[in-house]
Amino acid sequence: MQRHNKSPKIHLNENLRGLSTSATIAIQQLSKTLTEQGREIYRLGLGQSPFPVPDPVIEALKKNAHQKDYLAVKGLEELRHSLIGHHRRIFGIESGMEDIIVGPGSKELMFILQLVYDGEILIPTPSWVSYYPQARIIGRHVNAIMTTRENSWKITAGQIDAICRLDPGRSRLLILNYPSNPTGQTYSAGELKELAEVLAKYQVLVLSDEIYAKLTFSDKHTSIVNFYPEGTIFSGGLSKWCGAGGWRLGLFVIPENLRWLTDAMATVASETFTSTSAPIQYAAVTAFQQNPDIDIYVEKCRKILTALSDSIIAKFQKTKVDVLAPQGGFYIFPDFDQYRQLFQKKGILTSTDLCDQLLQDTGVAILPGVDFGRPKDELTVRIAYVDFDGTAALKNFPDHAALNDDYLQKYCGRTLRAVDIIVDWLSE
Ligand code: GLU
């Protein structure tokens, strides 16, 4: 092979300057590397479901391994049909076949949406690590809406009104995620109604990221679609409630009045990923059909996450860490501000310093608040309480008893140990 010593004359797209691998993916890679080097690492970085894919869905995938054809761009008809029923049953959402688009993960669909839609993007902070970089890659203007701990890290109708009032004619997209990654907080029906009123008043489009909806601990999740059907895109998928992050299947339900937008997204899909993996789509038909076994699976996952989060919160309550009890999903978003002076002596000034030092000293991997859009020097972090064997936890789920400490120690022990390690680290 003959090599010339000069590289091709190409330049990086300006929009990518300063961006690197997504924080959630990077922490998982780092955790893996450190584990391979022989360190004991507690993986509370990436937000991946600890639970296995339910058996009927695995069986459906096995049966459909032979499916090899490209499928319809918007998704397999049978799957969209099963989704219509699922969304009506679970969320009270009415939709038709042409309102749905299935993609290789909702992340990809969010990127395409931001590409085809021209306007300002409103992103509450803290929020998931990828919304902002996606908008930046595409070159959209982002308006970050700061939330406060006092308001449970949630935006208010007043904040939306204040932004829109200044320039009511501008086209806007709000990304709303509940139960929230990273805070675990969710919006009540009343709060969503208030938001819906002001969003409708200014005709703001909403991307309602409800990927954790089925993991709402109270099982009383309400979708904003119910209050603002004409302006809301519902986003969901298999990753979180069905333990199938790596299967990459996400979906949008888009209102009929925005058909041009759905079709524009389908155009981009047809020119990029073509269609989502065929065997996965066939298996997903089963995942979204009514099935008591799957309902029981979800209920058990919810109960385990609820009991585990209670136990974690109780541990932090014995410290000066400020943290809200989560209402769904598998994240908490504690604030270590009370330790600021102590940390300063160790050279910890930012949330990134905090996470780096914690990982170095103890092997506990978590993500800094700055990755979720918070100010650098705010000492908030995200803990994904998922480092345990979800298969064993489900197999040994007690049929008639409560999930007591013994159960949690036995089956969610690694996560509890990691929290103990953080607590001990603070007291040193
Ligand atoms: N949503 C998960 C997280 O926040 C992981 C998946 C991803 O970021 O792509 O950790």
Side-chain angles (χ1 to χ4, degrees):
M1 196 188 341
Q2 197 193 339
R3 221 178 245 285
H4 301 276
N5 59 6
K6 283 186 180 156
S7 295
K9 215 187 281 171
I10 52 164
H11 302 284
L12 181 71
N13 178 337
E14 267 299 312
N15 292 354
L16 273 123
R17 285 199 199 285
L19 292 180
S20 51
T21 307
S22 179
T24 51
I25 310 304
I27 190 73
Q28 184 72 348
Q29 275 170 5
L30 178 62
S31 301
K32 192 165 170 268
T33 308
L34 292 173
T35 307
E36 281 162 5
Q37 287 168 359
R39 278 206 67 184
E40 173 149 42
I41 299 298
Y42 295 87
R43 296 187 188 198
L44 310 187
L46 178 72
Q48 166 156 266
S49 166
F51 300 108
V53 177
D55 288 339
V57 186
I58 297 267
E59 285 311 311
L61 182 61
K62 284 184 189 162
K63 269 194 211 126
N64 284 288
H66 66 280
Q67 302 286 357
K68 59 166 200 52
D69 289 347
Y70 295 113
L71 299 178
V73 176
K74 283 187 175 177
L76 176 69
E77 285 209 3
E78 230 178 309
L79 173 58
R80 282 185 281 155
H81 189 73
S82 144
L83 286 168
I84 290 171
H86 181 84
H87 289 118
R88 180 179 297 135
R89 214 168 47 242
I90 310 285
F91 304 113
I93 298 174
E94 291 301 330
S95 57
M97 291 293 274
E98 296 308 314
D99 303 331
I100 295 176
I101 179 162
V102 175
S106 53
K107 197 174 188 172
E108 187 62 29
L109 294 177
M110 286 170 189
F111 186 77
I112 293 180
L113 172 68
Q114 297 195 45
L115 184 80
V116 301
Y117 161 91
D118 194 1
E120 180 180 63
I121 318 270
L122 307 181
I123 305 181
T125 62
S127 62
W128 178 47
V129 298
S130 292
Y131 302 135
Y132 177 69
Q134 286 195 348
R136 259 201 52 193
I137 291 168
I138 294 164
R140 293 279 169 256
H141 179 259
V142 171
N143 197 336
I145 313 176
M146 278 312 208
T147 67
T148 60
R149 151 68 174 86
E150 289 63 41
N151 200 45
S152 305
W153 307 114
K154 293 192 267 189
I155 57 163
T156 62
Q159 284 179 297
I160 300 291
D161 197 73
I163 292 168
C164 297
R165 206 182 323 143
L166 295 175
D167 182 4
R170 188 158 191 185
S171 113
R172 294 185 171 91
L173 164 68
L174 166 71
I175 305 182
L176 199 63
N177 164 231
Y178 53 100
S180 153
N181 172 6
T183 69
Q185 302 304 301
T186 197
Y187 289 84
S188 68
E191 288 166 338
L192 291 174
K193 209 166 169 194
E194 268 181 38
L195 282 174
E197 264 159 37
V198 66
L199 291 163
K201 177 173 157 196
Y202 294 105
Q203 293 169 276
V204 177
L205 176 65
V206 182
L207 172 61
S208 188
D209 180 357
E210 304 184 41
I211 193 92
Y212 299 94
K214 291 177 77 176
L215 297 179
T216 301
F217 298 158
S218 67
D219 193 21
K220 287 204 181 76
H221 175 86
T222 305
S223 172
I224 192 168
V225 177
N226 293 289
F227 306 116
Y228 188 30
E230 70 281 14
T232 306
I233 297 174
F234 173 96
S235 172
L238 283 185
S239 303
K240 310 301 178 185
W241 71 269
C242 195
W247 285 24
R248 309 311 300 131
L249 185 130
L251 62 105
F252 274 11
V253 186
I254 306 176
E256 196 184 347
N257 51 298
L258 295 178
R259 183 61 49 79
W260 64 268
L261 187 68
T262 321
D263 291 345
M265 285 188 65
T267 300
V268 177
S270 76
E271 299 289 16
T272 52
F273 65 80
T274 306
S275 60
T276 305
S277 158
I280 299 293
Q281 290 203 61
Y282 278 97
V285 175
T286 301
F288 288 106
Q289 261 161 2
Q290 194 159 20
N291 180 331
D293 289 343
I294 297 181
D295 291 347
I296 291 169
Y297 158 92
V298 177
E299 197 186 322
K300 285 181 179 171
C301 294
R302 254 198 321 257
K303 284 191 172 152
I304 294 167
L305 292 171
T306 310
L308 178 58
S309 70
D310 284 348
S311 187
I312 293 169
I313 294 296
K315 286 181 190 292
F316 278 124
Q317 272 165 353
K318 292 187 189 130
T319 70
K320 285 186 267 173
V321 174
D322 180 31
V323 60
L324 289 165
Q327 297 166 310
F330 31 68
Y331 308 108
I332 52 170
F333 195 66
D335 187 344
F336 290 74
D337 192 58
Q338 292 296 320
Y339 294 86
R340 188 175 290 278
Q341 283 186 350
L342 267 172
F343 284 162
Q344 261 165 7
K345 290 186 198 141
K346 276 191 114 184
I348 298 173
L349 304 176
T350 64
S351 58
T352 305
D353 295 342
L354 168 52
C355 294
D356 288 350
Q357 194 66 49
L358 180 73
L359 180 61
Q360 195 180 315
D361 291 352
T362 68
V364 177
I366 56 175
L367 284 174
V370 69
D371 287 341
F372 300 85
R374 299 303 298 177
K376 271 202 268 272
D377 58 352
E378 181 184 274
L379 297 174
T380 47
V381 301
R382 184 190 82 171
I383 298 179
Y385 44 97
V386 295
D387 190 353
F388 61 92
D389 181 351
T391 305
L394 284 177
K395 235 182 225 146
N396 294 284
F397 192 94
D399 278 338
H400 302 291
L403 300 181
N404 58 23
D405 282 349
D406 284 350
Y407 171 89
L408 290 175
Q409 277 304 337
K410 205 158 166 195
Y411 301 109
C412 308
R414 270 190 73 76
T415 294
L416 290 173
R417 208 167 319 132
V419 175
D420 285 336
I421 290 170
I422 299 175
V423 171
D424 289 348
W425 181 74
L426 289 173
S427 65
E428 270 162 22

